[in-house]
Structures are given as C-alpha cells and as structure tokens.
Amino acid sequence: MIKEAIGVGETEVDALNDAKNQLGLDESAEVEFELIQRAEKKKFGLFGGSPAKVKITLKATPSEAAEDFLRSVLDGMKLESVLIEKNETESGVEFNLSGEEVGFVIGRRGETLDALQYLTSLVANHTDNSYFKVTIDTGNYREKREKTLEILGRKLAFKAVKTGRKTNLEPMNPYERRIIHTSVQKVNGAISWSEGENANRHVVIGPDPKVKNVRRNGFNRGRGGKRPYNSNRSEHSAPINPDRKPLNEGGETGLYGRIDK
C-alpha cells in the first residue's frame, strides 16, 4: 500500500514541507521526493511565475499494510464498531480485536478468524521479501482454543490406549493439528497422524502399534485378577515419550496454508 502527497509552495523547500505535512511527517524527516515543477518568479514582479511542486511517495510498512487491510475488511463486513489494538513485535505484529460484534469475526470454531489472519498475512508479506508474522486474536480466543485442543487430544489418546480404536477429528489448520499431535505425544501407547488433502486434512488418533502390553478394554490382567484401568493411575501421570513423532503430517498444507499463533 502506497501513500502519496504533492506539495505546493513558493520554493522547493516550502513545497516539500507541504507534502510532509499532508502525510503527517515532521518537517525535519528525511524522505525521498520527486521535483515535479521548479518555482519560477514573476517577471518584473507582475507577469507569469509558478509555484514549486514536490511529490513524496511512501511505501507502507508490512505492519501498516496489514492494519489498513484488516480495517477495510472489517468495515466491509459492516463491523465498523470492532476496535483494533496493534502491538508490534520483533518478527511481526499482533492485532487484538474487541467490541460487541467481535463474535462475527471468530466464526465457527475460529475459521473466520483464521481466514482473516491468513489473508492479512498475505498482504503484509507482499510488501517485503522476508517473512512477517501476523497474529489476530480476540479476547484470548486462541489461548482458550489451544487449551481445548490439548485436552481433546489427550482425552482421545487415552481412549485409543484403552479401546485400541482410532478416532478421526474434524479438519483443522496446520497450527491446530500441531497442538493435537503434541498433546498425543505425551501419552505413551498412543500415536497421531494426518490424513486428507487441503481443506479436508485432519488428525487421526490411534493406538501405537510399536508399544507392547498396552492396556485394552480398561483392564490389566495379572495375579491379582482384573484391575480397573484408572486404578492407581491418572491421565496426568502417563509417561512421556518425546521420541515419537506424528505420522504423515506433511508440510504446511491445510485449511489456510501457513497459520501461526
């Protein structure tokens, strides 16, 4: 996104300062400019003459481009009342949205919020060659969603260990799939992998075939007879196996390609 201003003045300096003022810049700011027309004095102080004209062209930063695009999309959705709070970081920018109508921005399971973040990221990265990270959140929704997914992944992992059956989850973007995979890796005897392409790519959680003597059907047979699966053991005490990796996760393909927290 580019901002331009053409300044007019009796001298080139006056014209340059006029253009700076139009762009909200301090007159001492150093900028590149184009001299469109030199100032010409009137002949004999009465005839002819023309003012100087200077053009300044400013290329928006990735952060500015992202904010302008985000605002235009929200306005296009008739959500002018939604406020945007911007926090610039070393590697990118974080936007936090607030307002009574912010629920419309989240959408079903955060799909609208993810799509908006993805599109805003494309706009921001179009202005520079290096990767610029854009995060859009509202009311700590992403943190709450992450905790929900962690609990879900862990719960289904223990279910896979207990029943020996696999479970297919709903399609998710790469970031959310990674949360599920990480949660499952903490449960010994369970493993996760991804199936499907593009918008249908989803996580599957099942028993780890490499782990022997995994408890099935909620019982552990031994000299003492049948013992309940949860007896003297909680889900939180499960051993962690950091060496196991999710299978068939692939690259950054998913609902919206690269989606970062």
Side-chain angles (χ1 to χ4, degrees):
M1 204 166 294
I2 297 175
K3 297 180 180 179
E4 296 181 343
I6 296 178
V8 180
E10 292 185 3
T11 66
E12 284 79 359
V13 174
D14 293 337
L16 180 59
N17 289 335
D18 180 44
K20 289 180 179 179
N21 291 331
Q22 293 180 44
L23 294 173
L25 301 175
D26 188 91
E27 292 185 356
S28 61
E30 295 185 4
V31 296
E32 294 185 0
F33 62 92
E34 175 187 356
L35 181 60
I36 299 178
Q37 178 177 288
R38 292 186 177 277
E40 293 184 3
K41 295 182 178 180
K42 294 182 178 180
K43 295 180 180 180
F44 307 110
L46 298 173
F47 308 104
S50 60
K53 292 184 179 180
V54 171
K55 179 180 180 181
I56 295 178
T57 302
L58 293 180
K59 185 178 180 181
T61 65
S63 175
E64 293 171 339
E67 184 176 14
D68 290 343
F69 174 78
L70 180 57
R71 182 73 270 169
S72 66
V73 172
L74 293 176
D75 291 346
M77 295 172 66
K78 308 300 181 183
L79 300 176
E80 296 89 348
S81 62
V82 174
L83 302 178
I84 301 175
E85 180 182 347
K86 182 172 69 173
N87 178 35
E88 296 193 21
T89 63
E90 292 183 1
S91 59
V93 63
E94 298 174 351
F95 295 109
N96 188 61
L97 310 181
S98 61
E100 295 181 358
E101 299 180 304
V102 77
F104 293 102
V105 182
I106 297 176
R108 181 172 176 266
R109 292 194 297 269
E111 291 180 358
T112 303
L113 189 65
D114 284 343
L116 184 58
Q117 177 174 290
Y118 176 64
L119 294 174
T120 305
S121 180
L122 288 181
V123 172
N125 283 278
H126 186 68
T127 64
D128 202 341
N129 294 326
S130 60
Y131 177 64
F132 188 81
K133 182 178 179 180
V134 175
T135 302
I136 301 179
D137 199 358
T138 172
N140 293 324
Y141 170 81
R142 295 196 180 281
E143 181 180 353
K144 296 175 183 177
R145 174 69 171 167
E146 180 175 342
K147 291 181 179 179
T148 298
L149 292 175
E150 288 176 348
I151 294 173
L152 176 64
R154 195 172 182 84
K155 178 180 179 180
L156 294 180
F158 275 96
K159 179 181 177 181
V161 173
K162 182 178 180 180
T163 65
R165 299 176 181 177
K166 67 179 183 179
T167 302
N168 291 275
L169 279 67
E170 64 191 20
M172 297 178 185
N173 63 53
Y175 171 66
E176 293 190 338
R177 294 202 305 270
R178 285 195 293 271
I179 295 175
I180 295 291
H181 288 315
T182 301
S183 181
V184 173
Q185 287 175 34
K186 297 178 181 179
V187 179
N188 195 36
I191 195 169
S192 61
W193 64 94
S194 292
E195 294 181 354
E197 300 295 333
N198 300 322
N200 293 319
R201 195 153 182 80
H202 60 280
V203 175
V204 182
I205 301 175
D208 188 350
K210 296 182 180 180
V211 177
K212 298 180 179 180
N213 299 323
V214 177
R215 292 168 175 167
R216 303 290 186 215
N217 299 323
F219 300 102
N220 180 30
R221 302 181 184 277
R223 180 176 297 180
K226 298 180 178 180
R227 183 162 61 92
Y229 172 73
N230 290 325
S231 176
N232 298 323
R233 171 175 174 162
S234 67
E235 293 184 358
H236 298 286
S237 64
I240 296 177
N241 187 347
D243 296 328
R244 292 186 297 109
K245 303 294 183 181
L247 299 177
N248 195 33
E249 173 52 22
E252 297 291 346
T253 58
L255 285 177
Y256 304 108
R258 180 170 184 167
I259 295 287
D260 294 284
K261 180 178 178 182

